[in-house]
Amino acid sequence: MTLVRARVMDTPEDPFTGGTLRHGEDAGLLVTEGVITARGAYGSLRATFPDEEVLDLRGGVLLPGFVDTHVHYPQVRVIGSLGLPLLEWLERCALPEECRLAEPSYAEAVAREFVGGLVAAGTTSALVFGSHFAPAVDTLFAEVSRVGLRVTSGLVVSDRALPEPLLTTPDRAYEEARALAARWHGEGRTRYAVTPRFSYSTSEATLDACAAVLKDEPGTWFTSHVNENPAEVAAVNALFADALHYVGTYDAHGLVTERSVLAHNVHATDDELVLLAGRDAAVAHCPSSNSALGSGLFPLRRHVEHGVRVALGSDVGAGTGFSMLKEGLQASFMQALLGPDGLLLTPAHLLFLATRAGALALGLEVGDLGVGREFDAVWIAPGPGNPLDVGLRHAASPEDALAKVFALGTPADVAGVWVAGERL
Ligand SMILES: [Zn+2]
């Protein structure tokens, strides 16, 4: 057992429905075989457990490990291609790079860079868009298993509208997904996600193949893109003349369930929000990506009012980095820019979106630092004189301190990352 001593902040209850920031100025967390078994003021826990080894994390703030619900493994090297709208960015930046993962040694190097980026940013769980090449997906799963992250991922499938090397067939999509799921779903901390790239590049037959994998591999997840950019939405509507709307292109195949996470949904209609709420599906909001590609201002208020679950995604490489602190900050900016249509986000909202909301979207029993949870945590500890260090020392309240973490924190301030009590 280990007694962790730190300034602890988490959001066990949803602030969108009345929850508030939980804060322990000098808190103790007893971690037993990777699970938090007691929590309280450090002094009183120490009196109860006088002989346990103490891990002293004073200075800075200990938060639940971040949960990134939308991030692309093959795009780590194209981060920072700014100024293009979605379809042009895919054609010129993302897809040529994704073709390179056909080469196994290239995929191995990218997998190491990608997983290293997640850990360095304090992300402990992620829903990862894999590669179009099955061997490269094996490479990713092997790397996350070696490092110890919680990752749900899968083979990305498409059979039209992309460069030829990225295309598959319905039968091949099914067979390769089944083989990958058999190897990785439920193995340690890895799980499988059925992943059509988006319905723009996926025919009805391949969406059916995706539905068959979901049915034949119980407990697997589903993820894709939806309603990201007006030109993309118009193209999908033209391709699926019988569909009610973009969400309907997936729902008609039984792909929208409580185990579905759809990325973006910037241009959602009310009918789509009603459907998503009814299916209890989750949306991954990716504010940096939405800004970088000019995709639009995410209607968070309408999602919350319809009861649609929302979490955060970095959407690397359209997003500009792995930091979920930056995504929280950017989400706050975008809601402010929406004026009366936006939601005023408190620091507790941002922390919830970056941690527990993502865990709920992925069905993971992590995301806060309460008793019974596995100890997934990130220690944010800025160096002396760093503006975040100055801010934390002069913060007026715990909420103010947390606001400074989101405003000023970067991966350079991540001093430690744990998954299930294991320091990565
Ligand atoms: Zn994406």
Side-chain angles (χ1 to χ4, degrees):
M1 293 195 290
T2 301
L3 185 52
V4 178
R5 181 177 193 181
R7 183 180 196 185
V8 176
M9 296 189 191
D10 63 355
T11 47
E13 306 295 336
D14 183 350
F16 292 100
T17 54
T20 55
L21 179 65
R22 180 167 63 176
H23 172 252
E25 184 67 42
D26 186 9
L29 301 172
L30 189 70
V31 178
T32 311
E33 291 176 357
V35 176
I36 300 167
T37 48
R39 172 175 171 149
Y42 173 77
S44 58
L45 265 193
R46 186 65 181 151
T48 313
F49 301 96
D51 300 325
E52 301 311 328
E53 176 199 1
V54 173
L55 178 61
D56 191 340
L57 303 179
R58 281 177 295 172
V61 179
L62 189 72
L63 303 175
F66 298 127
V67 183
D68 187 340
T69 60
H70 185 69
V71 56
H72 292 252
Y73 143 53
Q75 295 178 4
V76 62
R77 295 186 182 186
V78 296
I79 295 172
S81 307
L82 304 174
L84 294 171
L86 172 67
L87 297 177
E88 287 76 2
W89 177 81
L90 283 171
E91 187 187 327
R92 287 206 237 159
C93 302
L95 298 176
E97 173 68 8
E98 296 208 16
C99 289
R100 296 186 188 109
L101 273 80
E103 169 59 40
S105 62
Y106 195 93
E108 280 171 27
V110 169
R112 283 194 299 274
E113 292 163 356
F114 174 77
V115 174
L118 289 173
V119 174
T123 295
T124 52
S125 298
L127 176 59
V128 176
F129 241 74
S131 167
H132 288 268
F133 304 105
V137 179
D138 273 314
T139 300
L140 172 70
F141 276 128
E143 179 64 6
V144 298
S145 300
R146 186 185 71 77
V147 171
L149 285 184
R150 295 184 201 277
V151 163
T152 305
S153 187
L155 180 72
V156 182
V157 299
S158 288
D159 58 355
R160 64 183 177 201
L162 299 186
E164 194 279 330
L166 301 182
L167 301 181
T168 187
T169 62
D171 286 347
R172 200 177 117 210
Y174 176 82
E175 295 300 336
E176 289 182 343
R178 287 293 308 273
L180 282 163
R183 283 197 286 281
W184 298 107
H185 183 63
E187 277 302 308
R189 297 175 193 145
T190 61
R191 300 181 308 169
Y192 195 77
V194 175
T195 314
R197 183 162 201 121
F198 53 168
S199 46
Y200 178 62
S201 67
T202 315
S203 72
E204 304 264 9
T206 295
L207 291 172
D208 274 335
C210 289
V213 177
L214 267 185
K215 179 167 81 61
D216 294 342
E217 296 288 345
T220 51
W221 233 253
F222 173 79
T223 190
S224 193
H225 296 101
V226 76
N227 288 321
E228 180 172 1
N229 160 294
E232 167 225 15
V233 175
V236 168
N237 287 339
L239 281 167
F240 292 82
D242 296 337
L244 294 172
H245 37 57
Y246 199 155
V247 173
T249 64
Y250 301 119
D251 189 59
H253 296 269
L255 297 170
V256 183
T257 74
E258 75 283 357
R259 284 180 287 113
S260 304
V261 179
L262 290 168
H264 303 301
N265 211 31
V266 174
H267 304 283
T269 63
D270 282 344
D271 285 349
E272 289 174 297
L273 293 174
V274 168
L275 178 58
L276 289 168
R279 297 277 187 266
D280 200 21
V283 166
H285 171 34
C286 308
S288 291
S289 166
N290 293 164
S291 304
L293 300 178
S295 301
L297 294 167
F298 179 69
L300 178 60
R301 174 185 289 281
R302 290 174 54 230
H303 281 72
V304 170
E305 287 173 354
H306 279 86
V308 179
R309 297 187 288 141
V310 175
L312 281 181
S314 68
D315 199 20
V316 157
T320 56
F322 290 98
S323 174
M324 298 306 290
L325 295 174
K326 180 158 73 171
E327 295 307 324
L329 180 65
Q330 189 68 19
S332 149
F333 289 165
M334 294 176 87
Q335 292 308 305
L337 288 167
L338 275 164
D341 293 332
L343 267 184
L344 181 67
L345 295 176
T346 65
H349 286 112
L350 304 186
L351 184 60
F352 179 75
L353 286 168
T355 57
R356 183 66 184 143
L360 288 166
L362 299 182
L364 297 172
E365 288 297 324
V366 294
D368 66 54
L369 296 171
V371 172
R373 298 272 187 243
E374 289 192 82
F375 183 70
D376 284 17
V378 53
W379 181 32
I380 308 287
N386 167 315
L388 176 55
D389 173 56
V390 174
L392 288 175
R393 283 190 284 108
H394 297 283
S397 65
E399 289 76 12
D400 189 32
L402 185 59
K404 292 177 191 310
V405 170
F406 276 95
L408 292 162
T410 74
D413 303 308
V414 171
V417 181
W418 292 260
V419 174
E422 190 184 313
R423 192 166 190 164
L424 304 188

